[in-house]
Amino acid sequence: DYGYDLTVDNFGNIIIAGTTTGNFGENTNAGCYDEFNCSSDILIVKTNSNGEVLQLSQKGTIEEDELFSVTTDESNNIYVTGFTMGSFENYINQGGLDIIVSKLNSEGDFEWISQFGTNDGDEAKDILIANNNIYIAGCTLGSFENRINRGFFDMFVAKINLNGFVNQIKQIGDAFEEIAYSFSTDNTGNMFITGTTSQSGLLDSVVLTIETF
């Protein structure tokens, strides 16, 4: 079991996002081939400020599924993002790793899961809410619609509405490797992205500024 990110809601509860190859509470791992071999499911855990577990939410495909980032809104709804190697309900994997974004209500019930990607590997690393939209940032080995991959990994930022529909994707890169790990916005319409680039032949830190879209 792994926890990769956490946030705190308006009640002071701690929300943890990650992955498990086991069965939490009454949940059953979706990718078990036998008693000892299970793929990872996405996992969201809510605890109070004393560390007492309040909610456990687990979901997955028969393949590997992982979450890397979590945030909440003013109503304490939970938003998570990561990747899947499988196909969630009503979706078909586009190739390799697909991006997943999901909304859970404050009770920990899944309201929707959105899955999308290129025909190559795609991962979302961070998520935030701004201007009544969901934004996610990460990396892709492929080319999103009307975009061209410039080399190895390209950064991307995707804008998604609160119902899980992908409105716009910006893909950023050159002939080297660029990966976005975290991002934020300010009150003047700027978006700041940080990650890595391999332009020097080694991995360097990078910070980019783009307009919020």
Side-chain angles (χ1 to χ4, degrees), residues 139-153:
C139 60
T140 179
L141 284 167
S143 301
F144 287 105
E145 186 175 2
N146 299 320
R147 301 289 185 266
I148 298 174
N149 187 288
R150 300 298 181 183
F152 191 48
F153 278 113

Side-chain angles (χ1 to χ4, degrees), residues 64-121:
E64 301 292 333
D65 315 297
E66 297 193 13
L67 296 178
F68 292 129
S69 187
V70 58
T71 192
T72 57
D73 63 18
E74 294 180 355
S75 300
N76 297 305
N77 295 306
I78 301 165
Y79 302 85
V80 292
T81 194
F83 77 83
T84 179
M85 295 182 70
S87 300
F88 279 93
E89 186 176 1
N90 300 319
Y91 290 97
I92 298 174
N93 189 286
Q94 299 300 300
L97 279 63
D98 276 3
I99 297 157
I100 51 171
V101 182
S102 183
K103 177 184 178 182
L104 296 80
N105 61 27
S106 60
E107 302 300 316
D109 301 315
F110 286 92
E111 294 198 352
W112 51 257
I113 293 181
S114 179
Q115 177 177 341
F116 64 98
T118 70
N119 60 2
D120 217 320

Side-chain angles (χ1 to χ4, degrees), residues 39-50:
S39 61
S40 56
D41 280 358
I42 61 173
L43 177 68
I44 303 96
V45 181
K46 179 187 287 189
T47 74
N48 62 23
S49 59
N50 295 319

Side-chain angles (χ1 to χ4, degrees), residues 108-167:
D109 301 315
F110 286 92
E111 294 198 352
W112 51 257
I113 293 181
S114 179
Q115 177 177 341
F116 64 98
T118 70
N119 60 2
D120 217 320
D122 316 295
E123 290 187 32
K125 302 289 191 182
D126 199 12
I127 189 169
L128 61 83
I129 306 292
N131 304 321
N132 292 316
N133 289 293
I134 305 163
Y135 291 89
I136 62 171
C139 60
T140 179
L141 284 167
S143 301
F144 287 105
E145 186 175 2
N146 299 320
R147 301 289 185 266
I148 298 174
N149 187 288
R150 300 298 181 183
F152 191 48
F153 278 113
D154 280 357
M155 295 181 177
F156 78 85
V157 178
K159 177 182 179 181
I160 302 163
N161 69 20
L162 296 179
N163 294 315
F165 179 79
V166 180
N167 284 328

